[in-house]
Amino acid sequence: MTAANEVFEKRKINLPKSQATVTDKNRYEKGLEVQRSIFGPQIGTITDDMTDDQKVITKYLSDICFGDFYTRDILDVKTRELITLSVLAANGGCESQVGAHTSGNLAVGNAEDQILSAILLCVPYNGFPRTLNAINAVKAAIPEK
């Protein structure tokens, strides 16, 4: 990024304003705060039984995904959750995370029809198998009425 910024400055290209709302010192705590607001207070204890390698990945998730990105002001949390769910569905093989983010979507106020619509809109990009797997994961995560 530093090299890119230097080139931009030399070419008199205005640098975009930073969207960051956290610092290196508080990004983990702020990310964990956002995670807890979506998934509940147990988020801070899920690492208790993990190996050190798993704990590192979980910390990165709090730091980067939630601390660096979810704390930004450009999109609200409801929109970020729908986007996250759509990206996970596109990746395929992320059914566990699709289920977790379905619960997250419900927790932030997205309705079941919005969640399913977001998945269905991605059919042309994701294909039918991934879409069907994502729908099954969504359905499994939605409490029965």
Side-chain angles (χ1 to χ4, degrees):
M1 289 306 298
T2 301
N5 287 344
E6 288 172 2
V7 170
F8 284 0
E9 286 173 6
K10 285 179 186 172
R11 294 184 180 183
K12 307 273 190 256
I13 298 171
N14 291 333
L15 297 176
K17 181 182 171 231
S18 173
Q19 296 175 11
T21 59
V22 297
T23 65
D24 285 342
K25 290 184 181 180
N26 72 0
R27 67 197 273 235
Y28 174 75
E29 290 79 18
K30 294 293 185 181
L32 198 55
E33 211 174 277
V34 173
Q35 282 180 285
R36 286 181 176 145
S37 75
I38 298 169
F39 301 105
Q42 73 280 4
I43 281 296
T45 62
I46 63 170
T47 61
D48 291 351
D49 297 328
M50 290 183 177
T51 65
D52 287 343
D53 292 340
Q54 291 170 317
K55 287 179 184 180
V56 168
I57 295 296
T58 302
K59 183 181 180 311
Y60 286 163
L61 181 69
S62 295
D63 281 345
I64 299 166
C65 296
F66 291 94
D68 289 342
F69 295 107
Y70 268 65
T71 58
R72 293 180 180 182
D73 298 330
I74 302 299
L75 299 174
D76 62 16
V77 174
K78 287 175 71 170
T79 303
R80 287 188 192 282
E81 269 300 297
L82 278 176
I83 292 169
T84 298
L85 184 71
S86 299
V87 170
L88 290 168
N91 283 329
C94 299
E95 285 74 23
S96 175
Q97 290 80 12
V98 168
H101 280 278
T102 296
S103 298
N105 270 277
L106 294 170
V108 299
N110 288 322
E112 179 179 349
D113 64 328
Q114 290 174 294
I115 296 167
L116 289 170
S117 292
I119 298 295
L120 290 172
L121 283 171
C122 297
V123 169
Y125 312 105
N126 299 347
F128 286 97
R130 283 188 178 164
T131 301
L132 290 170
N133 290 342
I135 288 172
N136 288 335
V138 166
K139 290 289 192 179
I142 294 176
E144 290 188 34
K145 298 173 186 169

